[in-house]
Amino acid sequence: MAVDYTVIVVYLAGMLAMGWWGMRRARSKSEFLVAGRRLGPVMYSGTMAAIVLGGASTIGGVGLGYQYGLSGAWMVFTIGLGLLALSVFFSARIARLKVYTVSEMLDLRYGGRAGVISGVVMWAYTLMLAVTSTIAYATIFDVLFDMNRTVAIILGGSIVVAYSTLGGMWSITLTDMVQFVVKTIGVLLLLLPIAVVKAGGFSEMKAKLPTSYFDPLGIGGETIFTYVLIYTFGMLIGQDIWQRVFTARGDRTAKWGGTVAGTYCLVYALAGAVIGTAAKVIYPKLGSPDDAFATIVKDELPVGVRGLVLAAALAAVMSTSSGALIACATVANNDIWSRLRGAVRRTDDTHDEVRGNRVFILIMGIGVIGTAIALNNVVEALTVAYNLLVGGLLVPILGGLLWKRGTVQGALASVIVGGLAVIGLMAGYGILANEPVYYGLLASLVAYVAVSLATKPTDAAVLATWRERLAGRNPELVSEPVPAHQ
């Protein structure tokens, strides 16, 4: 394993070096939080794909393939569909707003007063997303070094916190680009063909497995529908995703770069399901489907290649973890803390703002590591996060973009009613049940429409400012020209 260990150590050292380099670039709030809003299509596509394809998409995607066959691709497939929908229909308008958070967008659209409550919901979502990604380090480092769970979480989490705190979005962008390349080589170009060959090829796989493993809908229609509600719609409104949209240097980059990333996700989804199906042939009696990825990597890959593929899994976890961490810190600082202490927002970027956001990343990072150590059930934590996000925020966000009659009172009612409905229904039906997100989303929609129609329309001046920003006519927020970076 010495060669494999060397590959992993070099990879981790490279991540820290990227963080140090990014620190020299992050001189302003815009540079620190959204990479100066100047990523070109190559870097934008790579980093967007990196953040949405995390440990759940890699280790979990292979596990679903092991359990259900090719239809196990649906979870990651719906993530890709959500990213495609965001890129084609909404990303250009979102990028033109020149804001830093989803809550800022809600305040701009509805005329204020929606930010703190929506910020709390978004903060809970990004925190749980970061926690679940951090827990995944325990699985990977256990395979690598037979490491204690707590030590593994602290080691992996500390590296992510370090490079994220140092350089903010610039560090995360650079590391995500490396992670995208490592994942592409490790999972798509190495593990996928090797797994199929080790299983005897597709003909052997079909001969040894039930026909349901090759049924595109074998996982079940209700499960697919739930994935669409949670993941496809979740991609449309998550702060971690929007914050990447804000890094695009223009409308075309946001639209077409995101479309490329979404298409890549569809390919990655199918690859994970095929790898899991092959693992089922090779290891028909694993204790848990989630063990499929680590087992096939550990037992079937040659020295060196094994290290690279495990680095790919580590890259998948780190990209999601770092993206969720900076999103969590941005929401905590900009949408919650600054409002609660009555701070006045400014459009200028100062060194103090960089330092303040850096401190919040460090604080949130420590909190994420501590929560990850204390928490056991990853699936439940992630389900709570996405249920709250979709049930509480989907309607007011999409309603604000698509329906001019929506009001701030309707938005607040939607967030509160949807959020409370999801929490109550999870308590009644169980956290992993489908009903909470179904009925919570319906309750949120009814509250939004009913209260909006029962209250005065949004002030014409607010809507006029909103339309100006959507059109990109906001010269007071446009930075001085800077060279574009690919």
Side-chain angles (χ1 to χ4, degrees), residues 5-207:
Y5 292 161
T6 301
V7 172
I8 299 296
V9 170
V10 168
Y11 168 76
L12 294 176
M15 295 300 98
L16 292 174
M18 292 286 186
W20 183 261
W21 189 89
M23 182 176 67
R24 301 173 60 187
R25 299 292 304 271
R27 303 289 186 181
S28 68
K29 179 181 178 181
S30 176
E31 294 282 352
F32 190 81
L33 293 182
V34 290
R37 307 187 192 275
R38 52 195 175 110
L39 295 190
V42 175
M43 288 193 74
Y44 180 85
S45 298
T47 57
M48 183 62 89
I51 188 177
V52 300
L53 296 174
S57 300
T58 304
I59 299 171
V62 171
L64 287 171
Y66 183 89
Q67 188 172 3
Y68 298 105
L70 298 186
S71 66
W74 272 105
M75 184 186 77
V76 183
F77 201 82
T78 54
I79 290 174
L81 291 178
L83 187 51
L84 284 171
L86 174 70
S87 302
V88 172
F89 299 112
F90 300 108
S91 62
R93 283 185 284 176
I94 292 170
R96 286 196 292 265
L97 290 174
K98 294 291 190 291
V99 294
Y100 291 102
T101 68
V102 174
S103 295
E104 286 182 33
M105 168 264 172
L106 290 173
D107 275 355
L108 182 65
R109 164 60 181 83
Y110 294 110
R113 294 181 293 169
V116 174
I117 294 176
S118 61
V120 169
V121 175
M122 189 64 76
W123 175 79
Y125 157 73
T126 53
L127 178 71
M128 284 296 99
L129 186 61
V131 165
T132 54
S133 300
T134 303
I135 291 173
Y137 296 128
T139 301
I140 298 170
F141 282 114
D142 178 57
V143 175
L144 284 172
F145 308 115
D146 194 24
M147 188 178 290
N148 174 269
R149 178 182 183 274
T150 299
V151 175
I153 289 172
I154 292 173
L155 175 60
S158 296
I159 292 171
V160 170
V161 171
Y163 72 68
S164 300
T165 302
L166 285 172
M169 187 59 81
W170 266 122
S171 293
I172 292 170
T173 296
L174 294 169
T175 53
D176 277 1
M177 198 63 200
V178 174
Q179 289 158 358
F180 169 73
V181 173
V182 171
K183 278 192 288 192
T184 301
I185 296 172
V187 175
L188 297 185
L189 302 184
L190 293 176
L191 183 57
L192 174 60
I194 290 174
V196 172
V197 170
K198 292 286 185 179
F202 285 105
S203 58
E204 189 70 12
M205 291 162 62
K206 287 185 176 181

Side-chain angles (χ1 to χ4, degrees), residues 260-470:
V260 171
T263 304
Y264 178 90
C265 291
L266 303 183
V267 175
Y268 199 88
L270 185 59
V274 171
I275 292 168
T277 304
K280 182 67 175 179
V281 174
I282 304 169
Y283 310 103
K285 296 182 180 180
L286 288 179
S288 168
D290 286 340
D291 293 338
F293 180 88
T295 303
I296 196 169
V297 169
K298 191 173 184 179
D299 294 349
E300 302 298 334
L301 299 187
V303 172
V305 173
R306 179 171 49 204
L308 183 60
V309 173
L310 287 172
L314 199 57
V317 175
M318 283 186 160
S319 57
T320 300
S321 180
S322 59
L325 176 60
I326 194 172
C328 178
T330 302
V331 170
N333 187 19
N334 290 266
D335 294 333
I336 301 175
W337 174 246
S338 65
R339 294 168 191 249
L340 292 179
R341 62 195 287 257
V344 179
R345 290 186 178 276
R346 296 181 176 89
T347 57
D348 62 322
D349 296 326
T350 67
H351 177 71
D352 286 343
E353 286 179 310
V354 173
R355 183 174 60 187
N357 282 291
R358 187 172 277 139
V359 168
F360 263 86
I361 290 179
L362 180 60
I363 294 171
M364 291 297 108
I366 293 171
V368 164
I369 292 172
T371 307
I373 292 171
L375 204 62
N376 287 320
N377 197 314
V378 181
V379 176
E380 288 192 357
L382 194 61
T383 302
V384 169
Y386 271 100
N387 281 355
L388 280 173
L389 176 71
V390 174
L393 290 179
L394 177 67
V395 171
I397 291 172
L398 293 189
L401 289 168
L402 300 173
W403 191 42
K404 67 178 182 179
R405 186 61 180 82
T407 66
V408 65
Q409 295 88 350
L412 287 171
S414 179
V415 173
I416 294 170
V417 170
L420 291 178
V422 164
I423 292 171
L425 290 165
M426 284 192 294
Y429 284 99
I431 290 176
L432 298 180
N434 293 328
E435 287 83 359
V437 71
Y438 294 168
Y439 300 137
L441 188 57
L442 179 61
S444 178
L445 177 62
V446 171
Y448 180 71
V449 173
V451 175
S452 291
L453 292 176
T455 52
K456 291 176 60 177
T458 303
D459 186 84
V462 171
L463 288 177
T465 302
W466 167 253
R467 286 192 292 268
E468 288 289 301
R469 292 285 287 272
L470 276 180

